[in-house]
Amino acid sequence: MSDPQLISPEQFKDHWQGHRRLTRRLLVAFPDDQLWTFTLGGMRTFGSMIAEMIQVGAPMLKGIITGEWVGNEVKGEPSKAELLTLWDADTATIDEFLPKISLAQYQEHKVAFGQYPGSVYYLLLYGIDNEVHHRGQGYVYLRALGVEPPPFYER
């Protein structure tokens, strides 16, 4: 039986990076003075959500390849410029490491960060889903702040 495949690895990378480009534009649009202070309905600040995304996505991929499960450390409440620098570094990590996964490896079982079991494809999709979820919260925040967010369909 051949390896199951819905899209090519290059298409998967383009899909993921499209989400990342959109999330980056959302972060750029976010008011600097509200990044670590504004909340609604008991949700965390958008700064803390971005910090989580930086600690999950690319480190998950890197762990899959290297076996070293270390999240990126985001100390304190970095400025928007500092978060963008970390974001861009993660984008480069994805470009570097994602092509190293063979089709067969997408089906392998891993335990991410010593506590999250799943197949490689599942873990990577979780990272993307986590980003989309928090980006949606960021959209709500921007609208509540009176800021027009970037169109969600332009990735």
Side-chain angles (χ1 to χ4, degrees), residues 54-73:
I54 290 168
Q55 293 167 330
V56 172
M60 178 100 62
L61 171 59
K62 206 168 180 181
I64 288 166
I65 298 297
T66 66
E68 296 175 16
W69 299 92
V70 180
N72 292 335
E73 188 173 355

mmCIF file of all heavy atoms in Angstrom, residues 54-73:
data_model
loop_
_atom_site.group_PDB
_atom_site.id
_atom_site.type_symbol
_atom_site.label_atom_id
_atom_site.label_comp_id
_atom_site.label_asym_id
_atom_site.label_seq_id
_atom_site.Cartn_x
_atom_site.Cartn_y
_atom_site.Cartn_z
ATOM 1 N N ILE A 54 4.238 31.221 19.294
ATOM 2 C CA ILE A 54 5.689 31.173 19.098
ATOM 3 C C ILE A 54 6.289 30.001 19.866
ATOM 4 O O ILE A 54 7.262 29.389 19.429
ATOM 5 C CB ILE A 54 6.321 32.531 19.507
ATOM 6 C CG1 ILE A 54 5.924 33.603 18.482
ATOM 7 C CG2 ILE A 54 7.836 32.418 19.646
ATOM 8 C CD1 ILE A 54 6.233 35.025 18.924
ATOM 9 N N GLN A 55 5.688 29.643 20.978
ATOM 10 C CA GLN A 55 6.197 28.536 21.791
ATOM 11 C C GLN A 55 5.757 27.172 21.284
ATOM 12 O O GLN A 55 6.297 26.158 21.712
ATOM 13 C CB GLN A 55 5.754 28.724 23.245
ATOM 14 C CG GLN A 55 6.389 29.925 23.896
ATOM 15 C CD GLN A 55 5.726 30.311 25.207
ATOM 16 O OE1 GLN A 55 4.541 30.110 25.416
ATOM 17 N NE2 GLN A 55 6.509 30.888 26.098
ATOM 18 N N VAL A 56 4.770 27.127 20.360
ATOM 19 C CA VAL A 56 4.206 25.841 19.944
ATOM 20 C C VAL A 56 4.580 25.443 18.513
ATOM 21 O O VAL A 56 5.145 24.379 18.297
ATOM 22 C CB VAL A 56 2.663 25.836 20.100
ATOM 23 C CG1 VAL A 56 2.055 24.587 19.498
ATOM 24 C CG2 VAL A 56 2.276 25.956 21.567
ATOM 25 N N GLY A 57 4.229 26.232 17.514
ATOM 26 C CA GLY A 57 4.296 25.830 16.112
ATOM 27 C C GLY A 57 5.643 25.336 15.623
ATOM 28 O O GLY A 57 5.838 24.142 15.356
ATOM 29 N N ALA A 58 6.582 26.245 15.469
ATOM 30 C CA ALA A 58 7.910 25.873 14.967
ATOM 31 C C ALA A 58 8.647 24.936 15.932
ATOM 32 O O ALA A 58 9.301 23.990 15.474
ATOM 33 C CB ALA A 58 8.743 27.120 14.668
ATOM 34 N N PRO A 59 8.546 25.139 17.255
ATOM 35 C CA PRO A 59 9.191 24.179 18.158
ATOM 36 C C PRO A 59 8.624 22.764 18.021
ATOM 37 O O PRO A 59 9.352 21.786 18.194
ATOM 38 C CB PRO A 59 8.926 24.761 19.550
ATOM 39 C CG PRO A 59 8.825 26.229 19.316
ATOM 40 C CD PRO A 59 8.102 26.335 17.993
ATOM 41 N N MET A 60 7.329 22.642 17.723
ATOM 42 C CA MET A 60 6.733 21.321 17.498
ATOM 43 C C MET A 60 7.415 20.673 16.291
ATOM 44 O O MET A 60 7.834 19.516 16.350
ATOM 45 C CB MET A 60 5.231 21.455 17.242
ATOM 46 C CG MET A 60 4.544 20.147 16.956
ATOM 47 S SD MET A 60 3.670 19.463 18.369
ATOM 48 C CE MET A 60 2.443 20.690 18.719
ATOM 49 N N LEU A 61 7.523 21.414 15.210
ATOM 50 C CA LEU A 61 8.170 20.906 14.011
ATOM 51 C C LEU A 61 9.621 20.534 14.283
ATOM 52 O O LEU A 61 10.093 19.463 13.889
ATOM 53 C CB LEU A 61 8.089 21.951 12.890
ATOM 54 C CG LEU A 61 8.888 21.680 11.626
ATOM 55 C CD1 LEU A 61 8.466 20.380 10.971
ATOM 56 C CD2 LEU A 61 8.745 22.858 10.673
ATOM 57 N N LYS A 62 10.333 21.400 14.956
ATOM 58 C CA LYS A 62 11.739 21.143 15.260
ATOM 59 C C LYS A 62 11.881 19.891 16.122
ATOM 60 O O LYS A 62 12.785 19.079 15.919
ATOM 61 C CB LYS A 62 12.351 22.361 15.954
ATOM 62 C CG LYS A 62 13.823 22.487 15.762
ATOM 63 C CD LYS A 62 14.303 23.855 16.231
ATOM 64 C CE LYS A 62 15.780 23.978 16.044
ATOM 65 N NZ LYS A 62 16.282 25.266 16.503
ATOM 66 N N GLY A 63 10.973 19.701 17.071
ATOM 67 C CA GLY A 63 11.002 18.508 17.915
ATOM 68 C C GLY A 63 10.762 17.245 17.120
ATOM 69 O O GLY A 63 11.390 16.206 17.367
ATOM 70 N N ILE A 64 9.863 17.313 16.148
ATOM 71 C CA ILE A 64 9.584 16.157 15.303
ATOM 72 C C ILE A 64 10.852 15.729 14.561
ATOM 73 O O ILE A 64 11.158 14.546 14.451
ATOM 74 C CB ILE A 64 8.434 16.481 14.318
ATOM 75 C CG1 ILE A 64 7.107 16.539 15.087
ATOM 76 C CG2 ILE A 64 8.381 15.480 13.167
ATOM 77 C CD1 ILE A 64 5.963 17.171 14.317
ATOM 78 N N ILE A 65 11.613 16.690 14.087
ATOM 79 C CA ILE A 65 12.820 16.403 13.310
ATOM 80 C C ILE A 65 13.991 16.016 14.197
ATOM 81 O O ILE A 65 14.711 15.059 13.923
ATOM 82 C CB ILE A 65 13.203 17.615 12.431
ATOM 83 C CG1 ILE A 65 12.107 17.919 11.426
ATOM 84 C CG2 ILE A 65 14.540 17.400 11.739
ATOM 85 C CD1 ILE A 65 11.837 16.821 10.422
ATOM 86 N N THR A 66 14.201 16.748 15.281
ATOM 87 C CA THR A 66 15.414 16.569 16.094
ATOM 88 C C THR A 66 15.218 15.681 17.316
ATOM 89 O O THR A 66 16.200 15.197 17.880
ATOM 90 C CB THR A 66 15.938 17.929 16.595
ATOM 91 O OG1 THR A 66 14.980 18.490 17.517
ATOM 92 C CG2 THR A 66 16.194 18.886 15.441
ATOM 93 N N GLY A 67 13.964 15.520 17.753
ATOM 94 C CA GLY A 67 13.702 14.792 18.987
ATOM 95 C C GLY A 67 13.909 15.641 20.231
ATOM 96 O O GLY A 67 13.727 15.175 21.348
ATOM 97 N N GLU A 68 14.275 16.904 20.038
ATOM 98 C CA GLU A 68 14.466 17.835 21.155
ATOM 99 C C GLU A 68 13.226 18.731 21.234
ATOM 100 O O GLU A 68 13.000 19.580 20.383
ATOM 101 C CB GLU A 68 15.724 18.679 20.941
ATOM 102 C CG GLU A 68 16.995 17.847 20.929
ATOM 103 C CD GLU A 68 18.227 18.666 20.600
ATOM 104 O OE1 GLU A 68 18.171 19.914 20.684
ATOM 105 O OE2 GLU A 68 19.248 18.051 20.259
ATOM 106 N N TRP A 69 12.430 18.511 22.265
ATOM 107 C CA TRP A 69 11.146 19.197 22.420
ATOM 108 C C TRP A 69 11.297 20.382 23.345
ATOM 109 O O TRP A 69 11.020 20.310 24.540
ATOM 110 C CB TRP A 69 10.102 18.222 22.936
ATOM 111 C CG TRP A 69 9.886 17.095 21.989
ATOM 112 C CD1 TRP A 69 10.514 15.882 21.992
ATOM 113 C CD2 TRP A 69 9.034 17.088 20.858
ATOM 114 N NE1 TRP A 69 10.083 15.120 20.945
ATOM 115 C CE2 TRP A 69 9.159 15.838 20.223
ATOM 116 C CE3 TRP A 69 8.144 18.023 20.311
ATOM 117 C CZ2 TRP A 69 8.450 15.500 19.086
ATOM 118 C CZ3 TRP A 69 7.431 17.675 19.191
ATOM 119 C CH2 TRP A 69 7.582 16.429 18.587
ATOM 120 N N VAL A 70 11.729 21.504 22.794
ATOM 121 C CA VAL A 70 11.962 22.709 23.575
ATOM 122 C C VAL A 70 11.182 23.858 22.937
ATOM 123 O O VAL A 70 11.436 24.213 21.783
ATOM 124 C CB VAL A 70 13.471 23.063 23.614
ATOM 125 C CG1 VAL A 70 13.707 24.311 24.438
ATOM 126 C CG2 VAL A 70 14.277 21.883 24.155
ATOM 127 N N GLY A 71 10.238 24.400 23.673
ATOM 128 C CA GLY A 71 9.486 25.547 23.169
ATOM 129 C C GLY A 71 10.344 26.796 23.175
ATOM 130 O O GLY A 71 11.272 26.927 23.975
ATOM 131 N N ASN A 72 10.059 27.709 22.266
ATOM 132 C CA ASN A 72 10.771 28.985 22.259
ATOM 133 C C ASN A 72 10.405 29.760 23.515
ATOM 134 O O ASN A 72 9.238 29.838 23.872
ATOM 135 C CB ASN A 72 10.379 29.818 21.036
ATOM 136 C CG ASN A 72 10.860 29.207 19.746
ATOM 137 O OD1 ASN A 72 11.833 28.461 19.723
ATOM 138 N ND2 ASN A 72 10.184 29.527 18.665
ATOM 139 N N GLU A 73 11.402 30.318 24.146
ATOM 140 C CA GLU A 73 11.143 31.082 25.363
ATOM 141 C C GLU A 73 10.776 32.518 25.005
ATOM 142 O O GLU A 73 11.492 33.195 24.273
ATOM 143 C CB GLU A 73 12.369 31.075 26.277
ATOM 144 C CG GLU A 73 12.090 31.692 27.616
ATOM 145 C CD GLU A 73 13.256 31.543 28.582
ATOM 146 O OE1 GLU A 73 14.250 30.885 28.243
ATOM 147 O OE2 GLU A 73 13.154 32.105 29.684
#
